[in-house]
Amino acid sequence: MASARGAIERTLAEIGHVLEQSLFAETLSRQPGLLQALDPRVKIVGLLALLVSVSVSRNLWVIGGLYGVALALAVVSRLPVGAFVRRVWLVLPFFTGMVALPALFMTPGPTLWSLPFDWVITRTGALTALFLLTRVGTSVSFALLLIWTTPWNTLLKALSVLRVPDGFILILAMTYRYIALLLGIVDDMFLSRKSRVVGKLSTADERRLLAASAGALLGRSLQLSTEVYLAMQSRGYRGRPRTLDTFAMTARDWAWSFGLVALAAVAMVVGQVGG
Amino acid sequence: MAEPVFALQNVDFAYDSGQMALQDVSLSICPGERIVVLGSNGSGKSTLLKLLDGLYYPTGGELKAFGRALTEAAFADDAFNFAFRRRVGLVFQDTDVQLFNASVFDEVAFAPLQLDLPRADVTARVEAAMRDLRIERLRDRAPHRLSGGEKRRVALASVLSLGPEVWLLDEPTTGLDPRSQSWLVDFICAQGAAGRTVVTATHDLTIVDTIADRVLVFGEDHRLAAAGTPAEILSNSELLLACNLTHEHWHRHPEKPDGHRHLHYHGAPHDHGHERTG
Amino acid sequence: MQTIRNLTRRHWRLLSVYGLGAAWLATTAMHIPDGYLSPITAIILYALVIPFWYRGLQALRTKVNARSIPMIALMAAFSFIIMMFNVPLPGGTTGHAVGATLAAILLGPEIGGLAVSIALIIQALFFGDGGITAIGANCFNMGVVMPYVAWWVYQAIGGTAPLAANRRVVAAAIAGWVAMTAGALITAVEFGVQPMFFTAADGTPLYAPYPLDVAIPAMIIPHMLVASVIEGAVTALVFSYLQRSNQAALQLNGAPATSATQTGPLSYRWLWIGLAVMAIATPLGLLAPGTAWGEWGSDEFADLGLSYVPTGLARLESVWGAPMADYEIGFLGNASAGYVLSALLGIAVVAGLVWLLTAALARRQHPAS
């Protein structure tokens, strides 16, 4: 039995999607806007604080308010607001929504709404589903703000503000960089194979192709890691990576970091009041 | 005569698998010399450059740089490693190997940072290297998003920021369009004119007479087949044929008075259907 | 209190369709987003995973020394790509593997787990896949539990067989299946404890809403039937490819070099041992709800109004609960019985898969027989 779209096509589509997504984020992050102009360390600390305040809130209104903050930040940063909203709320119902739906009926509590055939939505069930959906949606929005306004290489360097060691940052940087290369290699492997085949690949062929590609990719990765090590050595690397950042905090950066963290702190306190 | 930069005495090199890459190579390279290493793929050109850069060590014979033997033990000494790496820079053939950092700035800053130069000095060197290669506008870009020509410039800048006395270039024209190629040739000439030693491995015959004072030819048996001036080597079509560097249609036009590189060869100027080496 | 005691068969059929869809989604990714786990749980899991990262970095330093950074970066990039591979399943659908088993077998659980963790961190930080506060949890589930379980099972079954032995392919397949199931179980436990500890004053669950006795079967059954099978199959397929074409890659973790000759046809003894291990491993999932029942006591369950939850929608996200309910709802009232049945079916499916795989391998090696 073969699907309308084989596994190879789907993998190719996903690779394309990942490349597109990273290009989209990179393009956005280089455009002018409020968050884009802030020191990346301010953004990491500020947005993480807001993310945590979403996480600890016991109050739906506070979570809603925080989503408002996320939207406002997206607007002043001149992000495409439509895409910002759609990316979260069009995807969410399919995953978290599916997970939350049974909770409407299963969570014991006072009746909120009676449906035909004795189906009952409980108030507690509705609340718990709402908590899950809004919390996930708002969290994803804050994560998107970070990703869409900070070039990945800048974001990485700014991780040092969280005391992430230089070596680990270099590992993350090289991983991201070589993911891009390996994605291109896989893309070529699949496309060249596909172009040599007339018609559809059988499922067994697809599986064999996938295994062979994975195996070949592993070989290439290992070879690259050896070569890259030589290239690092040639330029003086001795196992102790050093990095240089050129970040400089301006008065505006300080003001914003204070503002975002204070906002998060207020939300954390207010959010402890149930509602 | 000045002390040679590199002196090889009966050097052999075999990979762990036992596969021979270089056999019985003896040669020396003087300061300020511009050398081209010619050879078909798999003849050991890349291996030779890695040996000269102290990344591989000879499995037989002796290899000296600046009068000192390049051995694993020598490089275990931080001071020696430090001094050697500052004097010698290798530009890898595959820019995806050479460019492993997250941004162009980091790439160019990598070598000076690893070699423990003061921070202010690092910044100055990086700025100068980026200016020289006209890549300032690429500063924050990720290397993997660049075009082939841009990648090559960044790769050169990443070594230039060290200010090495000796340049080792592995197939630098691979994947370049003609304009970038001629720019690259100018860059190599400028380094040579500044008194640096430049060793270029290539199988691109069209650039040889412009960038070389002396040519070393490696055969498919991994041995040094010939050494001589560009004119001597390029006119020896028998040798070139034997070393799989040309095919029969190839012949050379009479010397041009201006001595500049020109694409007067018949057929495809340099690509003879060879595959890129990995 | 009105609940769903009197559902008709029609409802169950509707629900079974829904459950199937949900199960499919649940199995495509085990990545926990932000918002499912309380901050306390997230912090605990960060605290649990950090020592393993440290251990991984130590292992890296002793095994590959200065080469460690490019090595782990490339392996993490490789893991990232493997997670993107769509694997064809019977019926025309496709699914993803985590690749943690492959990483563990190739690099050992310490370094392999680190590579998977780095791939997960990149996914969370740069692609928004999986939560940022949940990085600790995701790395614990897929970068610690899975590789260690996988390594343990692979070593136990593979034993001292030569690298090229068929037995190792089977070991890889079973290791993948068990590891993925274990990962799903841990994830389910993390979900399941949320409503026990993190509720509003009126008892409204604030994070993942389902208790252990719902979360565990809902997570684990679809995983056993789909995602774990994919993980096992991918691991075995890539492993056998490497046996044929790149044995050096299989010796990265210091496995002894052995003769390159293939061993004879697969001995069925090992297949049965492998299945026995799986049969032992699956009821591990049973212990967790059992404990939960024990701790809570049936009285407490009744107080919470949860006594019929397992009867009804408990299995909403499972493939098996709903269709079986068509025949005998009362039977499913006993969560354990339903779960055991599902586990048995899962084992049967995997047994079939392993059998087909090894039969295919044996045929390829001995075309005459």
Side-chain angles (χ1 to χ4, degrees), chain A residues 19 22-23 26 30 151-154 156-157 170 173-174 176-178 180-181 220 223-224 227-246, chain B residues 50 53 55-56 75-78 81 85 88 90 92 94-103 105-107 110-111 113-116 119 122-123 140-142 144-145 158 278:
Chain A
L19 292 173
S22 69
L23 190 62
E26 265 183 71
R30 294 190 193 285
W152 65 275
N153 43 28
T154 319
L156 267 175
K157 271 199 171 175
L170 183 60
M174 288 180 68
Y176 189 104
R177 188 248 177 277
Y178 285 106
L181 182 71
R220 179 82 179 114
Q223 187 199 344
L224 268 170
E227 286 271 299
V228 169
Y229 174 58
L230 291 180
M232 293 171 80
Q233 239 187 331
S234 169
R235 278 149 71 194
Y237 174 72
R238 300 277 276 164
R240 292 180 299 273
R242 296 179 180 82
T243 55
L244 175 70
D245 62 52
T246 47
Chain B
K50 283 173 183 155
D53 198 34
L55 299 174
Y56 293 163
F75 279 97
D77 170 17
D78 268 339
N81 181 65
R85 300 283 171 221
V88 182
L90 169 61
F92 283 68
D94 184 353
T95 45
D96 283 325
V97 164
Q98 173 108 24
L99 308 179
F100 47 79
N101 280 288
S103 73
F105 180 90
D106 289 342
E107 203 62 70
F110 187 86
L113 275 175
Q114 297 308 308
L115 295 173
D116 247 353
R119 300 271 147 150
V122 171
T123 319
D140 294 323
R141 296 274 297 278
H144 65 265
R145 290 244 185 269
S158 73

Side-chain angles (χ1 to χ4, degrees), chain B residues 132-165:
Chain B
D132 284 358
L133 289 165
R134 278 167 281 142
I135 53 170
E136 295 120 304
R137 74 202 158 79
L138 305 177
R139 165 192 301 269
D140 294 323
R141 296 274 297 278
H144 65 265
R145 290 244 185 269
L146 305 177
S147 72
E150 288 171 335
K151 279 185 182 175
R152 189 64 68 186
R153 281 172 190 257
V154 176
L156 290 170
S158 73
V159 172
L160 184 64
S161 59
L162 263 184
E165 295 164 30

Side-chain angles (χ1 to χ4, degrees), chain B residues 198-258:
Chain B
V198 185
V199 181
T200 312
T202 187
H203 52 226
D204 180 354
L205 299 180
T206 61
I207 61 174
V208 171
D209 56 358
T210 324
I211 61 167
D213 304 323
R214 192 151 64 97
V215 181
L216 308 171
V217 185
F218 280 82
E220 292 188 310
D221 58 354
H222 312 294
R223 290 169 191 274
L224 186 59
T229 64
E232 284 164 18
I233 299 291
L234 292 176
S235 58
N236 188 345
S237 51
E238 229 166 273
L239 171 77
L240 296 180
L241 201 60
C243 293
N244 204 12
L245 283 161
T246 180
H247 49 81
E248 279 150 55
H249 303 302
W250 198 90
H251 76 265
R252 196 150 187 278
H253 269 250
E255 200 70 49
K256 274 269 194 174
D258 61 358

Side-chain angles (χ1 to χ4, degrees), chain C residues 154-173:
Chain C
Y154 172 73
Q155 292 290 75
I157 301 173
T160 54
L163 272 182
N166 277 329
R167 183 169 135 195
R168 289 203 175 269
V169 179
V170 177

